[in-house]
Amino acid sequence: MSSTLGSSIGKKLLMSISGLFLILFLVVHLTVNSFLLVPDGGDLFNAGAHFMATNPAIRVIEPLLALGFIVHILYGIKLTLENRRARGPERYASGKKTSGVTWASQNMLVLGITIAAFLVLHIANFWVKMKITGDPTLEHTTVEIAGVPTQVENAYALVNTTFGYLWIVVVYVIGSVGLAIHLTHGVWSAFQTIGFSNQIWRKRLNVLGNIFAWIIGIGFSSIAILQYLFYQPN
């Protein structure tokens, strides 16, 4: 097993599988975060956050998706550094760029570090407060879930308070754009590694990957900006 993962194909396969975990993780979180934009005082978002925190299946799946996300980032940084060492200084001294290679694929290390920093900020502002330390804004509120009044944490208030700081919104926008650029290369690359490697599928996946990437990037950026503009805490 270790020899397989240590091979070139094994490394690409691990990156592809963990990349698919990243895609699923982002889809789930953007879906729930989009509930922030519903003008109902946060009831739908709080209900969604409560479901994510208490549903047994989600509680098992979410950590696995998050682990795949983290493995993808860390392993991607490791592989990029290994590739740079393998190429040596000659490639960079020549000043020549490889033709047919996108900016995203040439700068995956920078993008990976940007996304990792974005993830650390997200964990510190939300996950740590909701799962470990608590926060005064999380005081329970009542929402209707399947017609039953239910006491839940007011995650909506925590998000609004956090996005009341312009610098946090700016970091989120930068991180979201970096994530989108990363995905423009990563989506089709992941599917290519697991078998969709012919020219027809590559062109299709490239288009679909770009669409998906910018939906994710613009989606997360828009949520942060709109929360700052319209829902600043008093």
Side-chain angles (χ1 to χ4, degrees), residues 4 34 36 60 67 89 92 99 107 109 141 154 168 190 198 204 206-207 214 220:
T4 301
S34 67
L36 287 162
V60 172
L67 179 61
Y92 303 100
S99 60
N107 293 275
L109 177 61
T141 186
N154 196 351
I168 291 180
N198 63 68
R204 292 172 179 173
N206 189 40
V207 173
W214 288 107
F220 281 116

Short mmCIF file of all heavy atoms in Angstrom, two decimals, residues 4 34 36 60 67 89 92 99 107 109 141 154 168 190 198 204 206-207 214 220:
data_model
loop_
_atom_site.label_atom_id
_atom_site.label_comp_id
_atom_site.label_asym_id
_atom_site.label_seq_id
_atom_site.Cartn_x
_atom_site.Cartn_y
_atom_site.Cartn_z
N THR A 4 2.42 1.85 -3.31
CA THR A 4 1.44 2.34 -4.28
C THR A 4 1.20 3.83 -4.12
O THR A 4 1.21 4.60 -5.08
CB THR A 4 0.11 1.59 -4.13
OG1 THR A 4 0.32 0.20 -4.32
CG2 THR A 4 -0.92 2.09 -5.13
N SER A 34 -26.05 29.29 1.95
CA SER A 34 -26.97 30.08 1.12
C SER A 34 -28.27 30.39 1.87
O SER A 34 -28.96 31.36 1.53
CB SER A 34 -27.27 29.35 -0.18
OG SER A 34 -28.01 28.16 0.05
N LEU A 36 -28.43 31.72 4.58
CA LEU A 36 -28.24 33.02 5.23
C LEU A 36 -28.94 34.13 4.46
O LEU A 36 -29.30 35.17 5.04
CB LEU A 36 -26.75 33.33 5.33
CG LEU A 36 -25.93 32.55 6.36
CD1 LEU A 36 -24.45 32.66 6.04
CD2 LEU A 36 -26.22 33.04 7.77
N VAL A 60 -21.16 11.89 10.89
CA VAL A 60 -20.13 10.95 10.45
C VAL A 60 -19.49 11.42 9.15
O VAL A 60 -18.26 11.42 9.00
CB VAL A 60 -20.72 9.54 10.27
CG1 VAL A 60 -19.68 8.61 9.63
CG2 VAL A 60 -21.18 8.96 11.60
N LEU A 67 -11.74 15.98 6.61
CA LEU A 67 -10.42 15.34 6.62
C LEU A 67 -9.87 15.24 5.20
O LEU A 67 -8.68 15.49 4.96
CB LEU A 67 -10.53 13.95 7.25
CG LEU A 67 -9.22 13.14 7.30
CD1 LEU A 67 -8.18 13.86 8.15
CD2 LEU A 67 -9.49 11.74 7.86
N PRO A 89 16.88 24.31 -10.08
CA PRO A 89 16.84 25.75 -10.33
C PRO A 89 16.88 26.14 -11.80
O PRO A 89 16.58 27.27 -12.16
CB PRO A 89 18.11 26.25 -9.61
CG PRO A 89 19.04 25.07 -9.67
CD PRO A 89 18.16 23.85 -9.55
N TYR A 92 13.70 27.65 -13.44
CA TYR A 92 13.33 29.01 -13.03
C TYR A 92 14.36 30.03 -13.52
O TYR A 92 14.02 31.18 -13.77
CB TYR A 92 13.18 29.06 -11.52
CG TYR A 92 12.17 28.06 -11.03
CD1 TYR A 92 12.58 26.83 -10.50
CD2 TYR A 92 10.81 28.29 -11.13
CE1 TYR A 92 11.65 25.89 -10.08
CE2 TYR A 92 9.87 27.36 -10.71
CZ TYR A 92 10.30 26.16 -10.19
OH TYR A 92 9.38 25.22 -9.77
N SER A 99 4.48 25.98 -22.14
CA SER A 99 3.31 26.31 -22.96
C SER A 99 2.16 25.37 -22.65
O SER A 99 2.37 24.19 -22.36
CB SER A 99 3.67 26.21 -24.45
OG SER A 99 4.08 24.88 -24.77
N ASN A 107 0.66 27.68 -10.13
CA ASN A 107 0.70 28.37 -8.84
C ASN A 107 -0.16 27.66 -7.79
O ASN A 107 -0.75 28.31 -6.93
CB ASN A 107 0.23 29.81 -9.01
CG ASN A 107 1.19 30.64 -9.84
OD1 ASN A 107 2.16 31.19 -9.34
ND2 ASN A 107 0.91 30.72 -11.14
N LEU A 109 0.78 25.91 -5.30
CA LEU A 109 1.31 26.07 -3.95
C LEU A 109 0.78 27.35 -3.32
O LEU A 109 0.29 27.34 -2.18
CB LEU A 109 2.84 26.10 -3.98
CG LEU A 109 3.52 26.33 -2.61
CD1 LEU A 109 3.15 25.22 -1.64
CD2 LEU A 109 5.03 26.44 -2.77
N THR A 141 -32.18 29.96 20.41
CA THR A 141 -33.38 30.58 19.87
C THR A 141 -34.33 29.47 19.43
O THR A 141 -33.92 28.32 19.30
CB THR A 141 -33.03 31.50 18.68
OG1 THR A 141 -34.20 32.20 18.26
CG2 THR A 141 -32.47 30.71 17.51
N ASN A 154 -28.08 29.87 18.06
CA ASN A 154 -28.31 30.96 17.10
C ASN A 154 -27.04 31.18 16.27
O ASN A 154 -26.35 32.19 16.39
CB ASN A 154 -28.70 32.23 17.84
CG ASN A 154 -29.32 33.26 16.91
OD1 ASN A 154 -29.31 33.10 15.69
ND2 ASN A 154 -29.86 34.33 17.48
N ILE A 168 -12.43 40.68 7.95
CA ILE A 168 -12.78 39.27 7.81
C ILE A 168 -13.45 39.03 6.46
O ILE A 168 -13.18 38.03 5.77
CB ILE A 168 -13.69 38.82 8.96
CG1 ILE A 168 -12.91 38.81 10.27
CG2 ILE A 168 -14.31 37.45 8.69
CD1 ILE A 168 -13.71 38.38 11.48
N ALA A 190 -8.89 16.13 -11.37
CA ALA A 190 -9.29 15.01 -10.51
C ALA A 190 -10.02 13.95 -11.32
O ALA A 190 -9.74 12.75 -11.20
CB ALA A 190 -10.18 15.52 -9.38
N ASN A 198 -9.89 11.22 -22.00
CA ASN A 198 -9.85 11.50 -23.44
C ASN A 198 -10.16 12.97 -23.69
O ASN A 198 -10.66 13.69 -22.82
CB ASN A 198 -10.85 10.59 -24.18
CG ASN A 198 -12.28 10.84 -23.76
OD1 ASN A 198 -12.84 11.90 -24.02
ND2 ASN A 198 -12.88 9.88 -23.08
N ARG A 204 -15.12 18.89 -21.91
CA ARG A 204 -16.38 19.04 -21.19
C ARG A 204 -16.14 19.31 -19.71
O ARG A 204 -16.78 20.19 -19.11
CB ARG A 204 -17.22 17.77 -21.35
CG ARG A 204 -17.72 17.55 -22.78
CD ARG A 204 -18.37 16.19 -22.92
NE ARG A 204 -18.87 15.98 -24.27
CZ ARG A 204 -19.36 14.81 -24.70
NH1 ARG A 204 -19.39 13.77 -23.88
NH2 ARG A 204 -19.79 14.69 -25.94
N ASN A 206 -13.50 20.52 -18.36
CA ASN A 206 -12.87 21.83 -18.19
C ASN A 206 -13.93 22.92 -18.10
O ASN A 206 -13.85 23.81 -17.24
CB ASN A 206 -11.92 22.09 -19.36
CG ASN A 206 -11.08 23.33 -19.14
OD1 ASN A 206 -10.62 23.59 -18.04
ND2 ASN A 206 -10.90 24.10 -20.19
N VAL A 207 -14.93 22.85 -18.99
CA VAL A 207 -16.03 23.83 -18.97
C VAL A 207 -16.84 23.70 -17.68
O VAL A 207 -17.11 24.69 -16.99
CB VAL A 207 -16.94 23.66 -20.20
CG1 VAL A 207 -18.18 24.55 -20.09
CG2 VAL A 207 -16.18 23.97 -21.48
N TRP A 214 -16.44 28.83 -10.22
CA TRP A 214 -16.85 30.21 -10.00
C TRP A 214 -18.19 30.32 -9.29
O TRP A 214 -18.46 31.32 -8.61
CB TRP A 214 -16.81 30.99 -11.30
CG TRP A 214 -15.39 31.23 -11.72
CD1 TRP A 214 -14.71 30.63 -12.73
CD2 TRP A 214 -14.45 32.08 -11.05
NE1 TRP A 214 -13.41 31.06 -12.75
CE2 TRP A 214 -13.22 31.94 -11.74
CE3 TRP A 214 -14.52 32.94 -9.95
CZ2 TRP A 214 -12.08 32.64 -11.35
CZ3 TRP A 214 -13.39 33.63 -9.56
CH2 TRP A 214 -12.18 33.48 -10.26
N PHE A 220 -19.55 31.95 -2.05
CA PHE A 220 -19.02 32.25 -0.72
C PHE A 220 -18.71 33.74 -0.57
O PHE A 220 -18.96 34.34 0.48
CB PHE A 220 -17.77 31.41 -0.43
CG PHE A 220 -18.06 30.00 -0.03
CD1 PHE A 220 -17.66 28.93 -0.81
CD2 PHE A 220 -18.74 29.72 1.15
CE1 PHE A 220 -17.93 27.63 -0.43
CE2 PHE A 220 -19.02 28.42 1.54
CZ PHE A 220 -18.61 27.37 0.73
#
